[in-house]
Amino acid sequence: MGEYFKIARLVWPLALGMMNNAIMQFVDRAYLSGYSLSALEAVLPAGMLMWIFAGFFQSIVGYSSVFVGLSHGAGDKHGSLTAYRAALWIAVVSSLISLTLIPVGEWALSFSSISGEGLSFAKSYYAIIMGGSFAVYGQTAASAYFTGLGRTRVVFWVNFLGNILNIALDPLFIFVFDMGISGAAWATVIATATQMLVLNGLAQFDIRKRGLVSGSCKAVAAKILRFGTPSGLYSVVNCLSFTVFVFVTGGVGGFELAVSNACFTVNYLLFAPMEGFALGASTLVAQAIGAKDLSQARRSARKTVFMGVAITAVFSIAAVIFARPILSVFAMKAGERAEDFIALGRILFLVMAAWQIFDAADIVLSGALKGAGDTKFVMGWMCVCVILWLPMVFVVKHVHNTMPALWATQVGYVVLILVGSLVRWYRGAWERRL
């Protein structure tokens, strides 16, 4: 039990921090559902398209936590500063590239199933949050520094501060200033930029306090790019496949898409802690490898997966039980169709609960594999599974084009990807990557 408590001390701030991020999105969309259904319809596709691009760069920057963890596990305290500096340089370059992707994304949204007012809303939201992606990368670099050191509570409290700010700004910008979906985007950017400034300020203070001296960061930056790029591509494939799925589900109907978007928002809110568990597993495995203790890496990964699955099971059951009050938050603007909104949402919640258990196990185990440097496999296996899954989605669309049927295809997808990850882990190929 002692080791479980040790893992929990590292992981709970990361899990709650990821839930903080999900709460930020949940609050945005809950407020927007009270503004108009067109805004709610637009926010998920626009946000997912942004993360196709930004997620790639964020994953690369965030992979620096593995090298901070390796240095920390090996007792090389100056190496952690070098990894942090390398991450900051990558963040700066990523920010400049991201600005050039704003018109690309606006063009891509024109081919989505959204039209009219919803399309205008989607383009506006995308342009603002993509332009503010510099804050995501800067915040990620500092978060990776503290996470690699195992000081995850610092990251949690700063994330919490940013979310309180976002919650305060949302109603002001959306309703008082009548900025609608643009107001939600600006609130998110300002909150994230605040997190970036505070975290990097704390990182610089810690560096001076510990008297750290950085070496040349070129070699470390090259390693972060080498191992982090497959991790970034994993994020791209994951977001891209999900965005294609959202666009396909848009063909069912605008009302059904609004329900689906609301349910996905709840799904992320409930599932976000697993991203924290995945990051925790990655950190623990990297620290153990840095200390040359592979048996500890195996134990940490196994126990983190078990904890993640147990918590996800509890959350999934709770979501099904309390489906009506949760969905009522999003059904405010549905008018006479509010009961239809809740009825469809309940069915989607049941499907969601079916896949979450398997997805939780895979995402935490994939985090452990990434912490060991096995990022090429994680990315490659994801691509294989997506290639098998998306054709099934299009077949279902033509044979039985309903939202529950389309959602059900994800159950098979997550089971398949989990099986591959389990085989990879137990064969032990990851032990020779870093």
Side-chain angles (χ1 to χ4, degrees), residues 95-339:
S95 300
L96 296 175
I97 296 173
S98 294
L99 292 176
T100 69
L101 296 173
I102 294 176
V104 175
E106 291 178 328
W107 171 79
L109 283 169
S110 299
F111 294 92
S112 71
S113 58
I114 309 171
S115 60
E117 184 183 43
L119 180 59
S120 176
F121 283 160
K123 288 183 176 181
S124 175
Y125 185 83
Y126 168 81
I128 294 169
I129 59 174
M130 194 66 199
S133 61
F134 71 91
V136 174
Y137 310 142
Q139 185 250 27
T140 299
S143 296
Y145 171 74
F146 285 113
T147 299
L149 295 177
R151 296 168 59 184
T152 53
R153 282 179 289 183
V154 175
V155 179
F156 165 74
W157 285 113
V158 174
N159 281 338
F160 182 76
L161 170 67
N163 283 326
I164 293 297
L165 179 60
N166 183 71
I167 291 171
L169 292 177
D170 261 339
L172 181 66
F173 287 0
I174 294 172
F175 299 110
V176 177
F177 296 156
D178 197 26
M179 296 171 66
I181 195 169
S182 296
W186 278 115
T188 299
V189 170
I190 292 171
T192 308
T194 301
Q195 293 172 335
M196 175 194 71
L197 293 172
V198 173
L199 268 175
N200 280 282
L202 291 173
Q204 294 301 325
F205 176 79
D206 181 73
I207 288 165
R208 289 194 297 271
K209 181 181 177 181
R210 297 170 64 201
L212 301 183
V213 179
S214 173
S216 173
C217 62
K218 290 183 180 179
V220 177
K223 289 182 179 179
I224 292 173
L225 290 172
R226 175 187 169 192
F227 290 98
T229 298
S231 183
L233 291 173
Y234 170 90
S235 177
V236 169
V237 172
N238 192 25
C239 288
L240 182 59
S241 61
F242 183 67
T243 302
V244 171
F245 180 77
V246 170
F247 286 169
V248 171
T249 57
V252 179
F255 176 80
E256 290 79 3
L257 179 61
V259 179
S260 179
N261 288 353
C263 292
F264 271 126
T265 300
V266 176
N267 173 69
Y268 183 52
L269 177 65
L270 298 177
F271 188 72
M274 292 310 100
E275 295 182 349
F277 274 80
L279 187 54
S282 179
T283 300
L284 289 166
V285 169
Q287 289 179 348
I289 290 176
K292 303 187 184 305
D293 190 348
L294 289 177
S295 62
Q296 180 60 46
R298 296 188 197 96
R299 287 195 304 273
S300 296
R302 183 175 65 251
K303 292 180 178 180
T304 307
V305 169
F306 176 79
M307 291 171 64
V309 170
I311 290 174
T312 300
V314 172
F315 284 176
S316 298
I317 293 171
V320 172
I321 293 173
F322 298 104
R324 172 172 281 276
I326 294 171
L327 290 165
S328 295
V329 174
F330 296 95
M332 291 185 294
K333 284 290 182 178
E336 296 180 353
R337 301 200 66 185
E339 284 301 318

Side-chain angles (χ1 to χ4, degrees), residues 245 249 255-264 267 319-320 323 327 341-356 402-408 410-411:
F245 180 77
T249 57
F255 176 80
E256 290 79 3
L257 179 61
V259 179
S260 179
N261 288 353
C263 292
F264 271 126
N267 173 69
V320 172
L327 290 165
F341 191 106
I342 293 171
L344 177 57
R346 275 179 161 172
I347 296 173
L348 298 185
F349 269 27
L350 289 171
V351 180
M352 179 176 72
W355 83 58
Q356 277 190 329
T402 65
M403 199 63 74
L406 290 168
W407 270 51
Q410 297 193 72
V411 179

Side-chain angles (χ1 to χ4, degrees), residues 353-407:
W355 83 58
Q356 277 190 329
I357 303 298
F358 301 106
D359 208 10
D362 175 69
I363 196 170
V364 180
L365 187 57
S366 293
L369 289 169
K370 290 178 185 179
D374 203 10
T375 54
K376 289 183 179 179
F377 167 79
V378 175
M379 183 270 293
W381 181 238
M382 162 73 77
C383 290
V384 170
C385 293
V386 167
I387 290 171
L388 295 173
W389 170 53
L390 286 181
M392 181 167 58
V393 172
F394 284 101
V395 169
V396 171
K397 174 180 172 58
H398 289 289
V399 174
H400 190 61
N401 191 28
T402 65
M403 199 63 74
L406 290 168
W407 270 51

